[in-house]
Amino acid sequence: LSQTELKREVARAAIRYVEPGRILGVGTGSTVDLFIDELAAIRDQVPACVSSSVRSTKRLEALGFKVIDLNELGDEGIGVYIDGADEIDPGFSMIKGGGGALTREKIVASVSKTFVCIADASKKVDVLGRFPLPVEVIPMAAAAVKRRLEALGATVTLRDFTTDNGCSILDAAGLRIEDPKALEDEINSWPGVVTVGLFANRGADVLLLGTEAGVKTFER
Ligand code: DER
């Protein structure tokens, strides 16, 4: 099966986690794009979505979904948040941000009850770090934060990209992240860092993994 076919299989499998009549949290990326396409089949069961990027908002609205701002959310909150990942380890910690939406993804995930990660088999790793760690920074702090990441042993590049928040992203390659929670807390404390693409303090609750042998479900 191609990677796209594996992604489509997990996108389809995620539909059963959508709670009819509840606000749905939607992440960003090519796997989520396929999930949004599948979601159209049950659009009447989804009163509204909260989106983590302009990219996902555009795709949702093109399919007739109502997308609301997080600040419009009432007490009902968000039940399920569906999103992809660049890497996920056995402890359900993730590297995210390959798609550049890490800040809003982390915000929506933080207010959602259940984070369902949809990923093809290539994303499951024993130790995070093969994928360069994205760090969103206030532009004026890019060089300062770059030096701090290099001091950790990373090879750092500034991504030719501006986020939905008007910020920059540094990609830190070559890290071997044995303690993702500690590194998330450390990098979060640096002035100028908006978001680090480590989702360890709030990892996934469910992983749907697309494999050659079908979709495997892992629950925290
Ligand atoms: O940027 C992100 O965190 C996205 O979830 C993205 O990295 C997922 O990648 P995909 O395009 O392989 O689904």
Side-chain angles (χ1 to χ4, degrees):
L1 285 171
S2 72
Q3 191 181 31
T4 300
E5 285 160 339
L6 293 177
K7 290 183 176 192
R8 190 178 305 284
E9 284 196 346
V10 287
R12 200 168 289 137
I15 294 295
R16 72 169 183 269
Y17 284 86
V18 176
E19 294 168 298
R22 283 210 66 179
I23 307 273
L24 179 68
V26 179
T28 297
S30 61
T31 312
V32 164
D33 284 347
L34 295 169
F35 167 72
I36 292 171
D37 295 349
E38 297 292 330
L39 191 67
I42 59 164
R43 191 182 60 207
D44 59 332
Q45 296 177 38
V46 181
C49 294
V50 171
S51 167
S52 64
S53 64
V54 169
R55 167 182 173 165
S56 291
T57 296
K58 282 194 162 75
R59 200 175 189 97
L60 285 162
E61 290 180 337
L63 288 168
F65 287 94
K66 183 178 178 221
V67 177
I68 63 168
D69 186 286
L70 195 52
N71 294 316
E72 295 169 52
L73 204 58
D75 297 341
E76 76 275 11
I78 298 172
V80 169
Y81 177 65
I82 308 278
D83 199 355
D86 296 302
E87 282 185 345
I88 184 163
D89 76 7
F92 293 80
S93 292
M94 295 166 279
I95 285 184
K96 289 176 57 53
L102 62 162
T103 293
R104 297 187 184 195
E105 288 173 335
K106 197 176 260 192
I107 292 168
V108 182
S110 73
V111 300
S112 300
K113 185 166 57 67
T114 308
F115 186 142
V116 177
C117 179
I118 52 176
D120 63 273
S122 70
K123 309 298 185 67
K124 196 165 185 314
V125 298
D126 289 331
V127 180
L128 299 176
R130 183 170 40 81
F131 188 92
L133 176 63
V135 180
E136 184 166 346
V137 295
I138 300 293
M140 73 167 285
V145 174
K146 179 172 188 283
R147 282 192 292 273
R148 295 182 83 146
L149 288 166
E150 288 167 341
L152 295 181
T155 303
V156 187
T157 53
L158 176 66
R159 194 182 302 184
D160 179 18
F161 178 82
T162 300
T163 70
D164 288 345
N165 313 305
C167 291
S168 303
I169 294 184
L170 296 169
D171 291 300
L175 292 172
R176 185 172 164 72
I177 306 168
E178 307 272 1
D179 185 347
K181 281 191 177 61
L183 188 59
E184 181 179 9
D185 293 344
E186 164 68 13
I187 296 175
N188 271 339
S189 73
W190 300 346
V193 170
V194 175
T195 303
V196 55
L198 275 176
F199 286 52
N201 285 295
R202 201 267 186 262
D205 300 298
V206 176
L207 168 63
L208 300 180
L209 194 71
T211 76
E212 290 296 337
V215 174
K216 294 196 179 323
T217 304
F218 300 85
E219 304 221 346
R220 180 187 279 271

